[in-house]
């Protein structure tokens, strides 16, 4: 991103001066997050979502507008009890089940320790993910956003969150 004319993602700030780039900008990432509506297999999505919700209607499905290798991420708009609820449905393409279980449990532990991470939605059977048709799927609360806005306030927020995460790492149960 560009911030105050800088083309760096993050620089080290020392003595009121930007002294060196920590990460250079790349030429393949897009800072804007967007979605494309997709025609999905509603039967498959219902088989997955029936594990999480009793009564719902799928109002719309869109997929992240970028190349995805290790997972497929879908923004799903559900109607539950007359209200719209946005969720993120993730299909894991390359992780083994033990890795998925570890990752989702790790997120839950970080959240319990006060680290601001997305909420993993548990199934009706209190599981973190489901196996449908030989693939693993997890559901998360959807975090509405379209890009990272570079500002001093954003950098401070990120730094504080990273500090909480590092503090939490010492006490995370795995």
């Amino acid at each position: 991103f560009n911030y105050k004319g800088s083309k760096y993602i993050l620089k080290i700030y020392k003595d009121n001066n930007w002294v060196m780039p920590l990460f250079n900008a790349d030429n393949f990432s897009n800072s804007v997050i967007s979605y494309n509506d997709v025609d999905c297999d509603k039967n498959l999505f219902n088989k997955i979502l029936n594990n999480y919700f009793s009564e719902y209607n799928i109002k719309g499905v869109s997929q992240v507008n970028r190349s995805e290798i290790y997972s497929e991420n879908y923004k799903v708009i559900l109607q539950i009890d007359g209200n719209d609820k946005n969720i993120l449905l993730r299909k894991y393409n390359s992780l083994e089940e033990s890795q998925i279980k570890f990752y989702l449990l790790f997120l839950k532990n970080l959240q319990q320790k006060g680290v601001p991470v997305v909420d993993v939605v548990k199934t009706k059977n209190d599981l973190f993910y489901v196996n449908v048709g030989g693939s693993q799927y997890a559901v998360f609360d959807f975090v509405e956003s379209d890009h990272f806005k570079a500002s001093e306030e954003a950098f401070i927020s990120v730094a504080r969150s990273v500090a909480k995460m590092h503090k939490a790492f010492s006490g995370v149960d795995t």
Side-chain angles (χ1 to χ4, degrees), residues 1 6 13-14 25 36 51 58 60 65 71 74 77 88 99-100 102 106 111 116-117 122 130 132 143-145 155:
F1 61 82
S6 173
Y13 193 74
K14 182 179 177 186
N36 292 327
N51 290 281
I58 298 174
N65 184 20
S71 65
Y74 299 92
I77 304 169
L88 178 80
Q99 293 171 305
I100 296 167
F102 172 83
F106 187 71
Q111 184 183 50
V117 296
K122 286 187 171 184
V130 294
V132 175
V143 177
E144 200 68 58
S145 183
F155 285 130

Side-chain angles (χ1 to χ4, degrees), residues 9 12 15 23 31 50 73 87 92:
I9 293 175
I12 295 176
D15 300 326
F23 300 107
S31 62
N50 284 338
N73 295 282
I87 60 168
Y92 293 95

Side-chain angles (χ1 to χ4, degrees), residues 3 7 15 18 22 25 30-31 34 37 48 55 70 84-85 94 106 110 112 114 130 157 167 174:
Y3 177 63
K7 291 188 178 182
D15 300 326
W18 294 106
L22 189 57
N30 187 349
S31 62
S34 62
D37 290 339
I48 298 162
E55 304 237 355
Y70 302 111
D84 287 354
K85 177 176 179 62
S94 63
F106 187 71
L110 287 176
Q112 290 169 350
V130 294
S157 175
K167 185 177 178 184
T174 55

Side-chain angles (χ1 to χ4, degrees), residues 10-50:
L10 182 60
K11 289 184 176 183
I12 295 176
Y13 193 74
K14 182 179 177 186
D15 300 326
N16 294 321
N17 292 306
W18 294 106
V19 293
M20 66 179 274
L22 189 57
F23 300 107
N24 289 322
D26 60 48
N27 61 357
F28 54 85
S29 293
N30 187 349
S31 62
V32 176
I33 302 167
S34 62
Y35 295 84
N36 292 327
D37 290 339
V38 294
D39 261 341
C40 64
D41 180 351
K42 294 259 173 128
N43 289 329
L44 174 62
F45 274 59
N46 282 319
K47 283 180 186 175
I48 298 162
L49 296 174
N50 284 338

Side-chain angles (χ1 to χ4, degrees), residues 83-125:
N83 298 311
D84 287 354
K85 177 176 179 62
N86 295 341
I87 60 168
L88 178 80
L89 174 65
R90 176 170 294 155
K91 176 185 179 187
Y92 293 95
N93 291 332
S94 63
L95 295 179
E96 295 177 17
E97 283 194 56
S98 62
Q99 293 171 305
I100 296 167
K101 190 182 291 186
F102 172 83
Y103 165 70
L104 297 173
L105 183 60
F106 187 71
L107 276 178
K108 209 56 159 169
N109 276 290
L110 287 176
Q111 184 183 50
Q112 290 169 350
K113 303 225 181 271
V115 178
V117 296
V118 68
D119 193 26
V120 181
V121 178
K122 286 187 171 184
T123 68
K124 293 184 280 188
N125 293 331

